[in-house]
Amino acid sequence: MMRSAVVRTTGSNSLLTQSTLRTSKATTPICLSAQRQQYRRAHAISNPTLANIEKRWETMMPQEQADLWMQLRDRMRTDWKELTLQEKKAAYWIAFGPHGPRAGTPPGENRKVFTYTLIGVGVAFLMAWGFREFVAKGPPPTMNKEWQEKTNEYLKSLNVEPISGISSEGYKGKGQVQSRPKAKE
């Protein structure tokens, strides 16, 4: 097997042969870290572009917003000492400012939520009252004292809750009885 005599340096598309590397090592050393580094200089963004960004951001087209953010992102990749104060303020405001999902609630929203909540509770109350008044035909047959006493007897015959309940020795509670006697018809 033969190895290729071509070596590719990292971060660069230039190809060097081993012989070139050998000769360059002999004469002058190669700094590979310098070849790996990529210097990118972006020019400063003009002040009129960044002026009043807080007020203009919401009215800008989405493409304009994206372009401005990309320009700022490219500027932030350089040394931050080179950024102007306007660029730093704009980058901070775009990243963390009160716009989009972080925007504050509009004035009067709390009152609107409270009003609609009260309306919803009122409608639910009226529906429950209307159903009880006009649809339901009185209390169910199980809601009278006689039925509930018979339920107590039935539970005792089945020996339900023999330790501390209705079937236990010396039970003094009411059991299932919770209603007044059935009205005479």
Side-chain angles (χ1 to χ4, degrees), residues 159-175:
N159 199 21
V160 173
E161 293 189 49
I163 297 172
S164 63
I166 196 166
S167 297
S168 64
E169 292 181 27
Y171 180 72
K172 303 262 189 239
K174 298 187 294 181

Side-chain angles (χ1 to χ4, degrees), residues 5 15-28 30:
L15 298 176
L16 301 174
T17 62
Q18 286 182 348
S19 62
T20 307
L21 284 174
R22 275 191 222 113
T23 58
S24 64
K25 281 182 187 175
T27 56
T28 56
I30 295 177

Side-chain angles (χ1 to χ4, degrees), residues 51-151:
N52 288 332
I53 192 69
E54 299 89 7
K55 294 177 182 152
R56 293 184 306 120
W57 185 259
E58 290 292 327
T59 60
M60 291 173 70
M61 299 295 290
Q63 184 61 40
E64 289 177 286
Q65 290 176 348
D67 290 342
L68 180 59
W69 176 244
M70 292 300 145
Q71 287 176 351
L72 281 170
R73 189 192 65 185
D74 290 344
R75 285 287 291 156
M76 288 188 292
R77 286 185 177 164
T78 63
D79 188 11
W80 277 53
K81 294 174 188 168
E82 296 176 11
L83 265 66
T84 65
L85 184 61
Q86 285 282 55
E87 289 172 333
K88 290 177 185 176
K89 285 181 179 179
Y92 180 84
W93 194 86
I94 291 170
F96 304 108
H99 56 85
R102 293 182 300 272
T105 58
E109 183 173 352
N110 292 335
R111 185 177 59 199
K112 197 182 294 186
V113 167
F114 181 73
T115 302
Y116 287 132
T117 302
L118 282 180
I119 289 171
V121 168
V123 167
F125 177 77
L126 285 174
M127 286 175 61
W129 175 80
F131 182 80
R132 183 176 177 200
E133 196 66 30
F134 300 113
V135 178
K137 307 271 190 263
T142 58
M143 293 303 291
N144 63 58
K145 189 172 184 177
E146 292 80 17
W147 187 289
Q148 292 163 359
E149 286 173 346
K150 292 207 183 239
T151 303

